[in-house]
Amino acid sequence: MNFGSWIVENGGVIFGGLGVVFAMLASLGSAKGLSVVGQAASGLVPEEPQKFGKTLILQLLPGTQGLYGFVIALLILLQLSGDMTLAQGMYLAAVGMPIGFVGWGSAVSQGKVAASGVGILAKNESQTTKGIIYAVMVETYALLAFVISLLLFFKFGAFFA
C-alpha cells in the first residue's frame, strides 16, 4: 500500500483527531492565562488574604476558553470512526480551528488583562469590577470563535450521517 492510498483510507480519522488537537489548543492558552493571573495574585494574597476571593474570580476568567475548546473537542471526538472519509476528517479539523487558535490567543491575552486587574484590586479594591470588565471584554472573541466552531459542527451534521 502506498502512502497516498493509506492517507485516503485512514486520513479521515487522522484529520478528525487533528480537529480534537486544534480545539484543545484553547486549553493550552487557558493554562498560560491562569498562570499569569495566579502569579500576580500570589504576590497580593499573602499581604492581604481577605482579597483571595476577588483574585480567584480574576484568575478563573482565562479558564473559560479551555472549557469552550473541550466542548468542541468532545463533539469532534464523538464523531470519529475508522470508516470516515478524508473529507469528513478534514472538515472536523476545520471545526476545531476557530476555537483552538482564537481561544488560545484570547486566553493568554485575558490572563494578562486579568493580572492587571489584580493590580487594580491591590491599589483600590472598590474599582475591582472595572478590572473584571476589562478582562471579560477579551472573552468576547473566544465566545465568537466558540459559536463559529459550534455552527460549523452542527450546520453540516448530515455530512456525518
Side-chain angles (χ1 to χ4, degrees):
M1 177 182 292
N2 66 32
F3 184 71
S5 63
W6 182 84
I7 284 290
V8 170
E9 187 175 316
N10 299 296
V13 74
I14 292 168
F15 277 97
L18 280 174
V20 173
V21 172
F22 290 147
M24 289 304 294
L25 288 174
S27 293
L28 183 63
S30 284
K32 177 62 177 169
L34 290 167
S35 169
V36 170
V37 184
Q39 291 172 40
S42 293
L44 173 63
V45 170
E47 301 296 321
E48 300 184 62
Q50 72 278 10
K51 294 183 177 177
F52 172 76
K54 290 183 179 180
T55 62
L56 187 60
I57 290 168
L58 286 161
Q59 188 185 23
L60 289 172
L61 291 173
T64 56
Q65 286 88 333
L67 294 174
Y68 302 153
F70 176 75
V71 168
I72 297 300
L74 190 58
L75 288 172
I76 294 169
L77 189 61
L78 292 172
Q79 292 295 318
L80 295 183
S81 70
D83 64 346
M84 64 190 322
T85 67
L86 181 59
Q88 289 171 322
M90 292 178 81
Y91 187 77
L92 289 175
V95 167
M97 287 181 181
I99 189 54
F101 291 111
V102 176
W104 179 4
S106 171
V108 171
S109 297
Q110 190 175 41
K112 292 174 183 177
V113 174
S116 295
V118 171
I120 293 173
L121 173 62
K123 291 177 183 173
N124 188 345
E125 188 171 1
S126 68
Q127 300 297 311
T128 303
T129 303
K130 292 176 181 171
I132 293 170
I133 290 169
Y134 289 144
V136 169
M137 293 304 296
V138 180
E139 178 93 17
T140 304
Y141 297 94
L143 194 54
L144 293 173
F146 178 56
V147 169
I148 292 299
S149 285
L150 280 173
L151 288 173
L152 281 170
F153 182 82
F154 288 112
K155 176 80 172 161
F156 295 98
F159 188 59
F160 300 102

